Amino acid sequence: MIGRNLSPFGLPHIRVKDIMPTNLPVIESNELRLDNLFLLDDEAVAIIDYESDYEQEDFIKYLNYAARVIKRYAEQNRLDELKKLKIIVIYTADVEQACEVYDLDGVTVKVEPAYLTGMNTEAIYRDLKTAVLTRGVLNKEEASRLMILPLTVKGRDNKQEVIVRSVNLAKKISDIHQRTQVLAGLLTFTDKVIDEQYREIVKGELRMTQVERMIFEEAWDQGVMEGEKRGKKLGIKEGQRIGEKAGKRKGEFETLYILTQDGTITLKQAAARKGMTEKAFMREIVKLGLVKDN
C-alpha cells in the first residue's frame, strides 16, 4: 500500500505515504480493533475501516478510534504533529449508500466513504488472471485489486467463492515476495467475511510461501558466496545455475516436510504435491539429508 493511491477503492485522490502501528491505547473496550492506520501524502493520519453493512452505531466505534489515535500522540508528547485525522470507510458491495456525518451539534463525526458496489468482478478477475498467466506477476494496482476482489460481490457465500478463486490465482504468482504480499492482503481485507476453516488453509499456504521464500533466499546467498570463491565468471554462472536448481528442489521438499512436522499438512498431502507415495517422499527426504536414516 505504501506509495500507492487508493484508486482500487474509488479514492484516486488519496495516496498512502506510510503504514503506522495500530497498537493504540484502549479507551473503553479491549475488543476494539483498528484495521489499518496510514500516513497520507498530505501528512494526514488516516483510519481505514472495512464494513459489509451500515449501522449508525458504527460512528461510536469511529469516534473511539479517533480518540485512541489522539491519545497516543498525547502520551508521546507529539500532539503538535497531528495536523489532520481522517476516517475512511470502505464498504463492500453489500452497501450502496451510507450516512457520512453523525452531527451532534457540539460533536461531529465525519467519514469519507468508498463503495465497492457496481464493479464488474468477473471482468476484473479475467484481466488479473490474464496478467498472472502471461507475465507471472502483477503491477501495484493489479495486486491491490486482487486483494479486495472478494469485497466487490454481495453476500457471504459469493464472497467466499471469490476468496477461493482469488487465493488460487494468487498462488500462481511467480514472484515469491508478491505472492506473500497478496495472500496476506487477502487475509486482511476479508477478515470479517472469510470462512474460518478456509482462513486456516490460506494461513497454511501463506506460511508455506514464507518458508519457501526464506529457503530460496538462503540458497541464493549461498550460491553467490560459492560463486565468488570460484572467481571465474563462467564458473559463477554455472555454479549458481546448478546450485539454484538443486537448492530449489531441496527447498521444496524441506518446506513440505516442515509443514508436516508442525501439523499444517499431512505426510500424505505433502507426498501428493510431489506426485509421490509417502514412502518415496520420505526416501527423498533422507536422500537430501533433511533427516537421518534410521
Side-chain angles (χ1 to χ4, degrees), residues 73-90:
Y73 274 84
E75 289 179 345
Q76 297 174 353
N77 295 317
R78 296 169 54 214
L79 270 178
D80 58 327
E81 297 178 22
L82 185 61
K83 306 298 184 183
K84 290 181 282 187
L85 180 60
K86 297 181 179 180
I87 301 173
I88 300 170
V89 182
I90 298 171

Side-chain angles (χ1 to χ4, degrees), residues 88-103:
I88 300 170
V89 182
I90 298 171
Y91 291 102
T92 66
D94 306 274
V95 181
E96 297 184 2
Q97 189 175 6
C99 182
E100 300 176 20
V101 179
Y102 186 43
D103 191 353

Side-chain angles (χ1 to χ4, degrees), residues 56 58-60 62-64 66-67 70 85-87 99-112:
Q56 191 177 38
D58 289 335
F59 281 97
I60 301 172
Y62 306 146
L63 187 59
N64 272 289
I70 295 169
L85 180 60
K86 297 181 179 180
I87 301 173
C99 182
E100 300 176 20
V101 179
Y102 186 43
D103 191 353
L104 297 175
D105 194 18
V107 176
T108 301
V109 183
K110 180 181 179 181
V111 303
E112 184 163 358

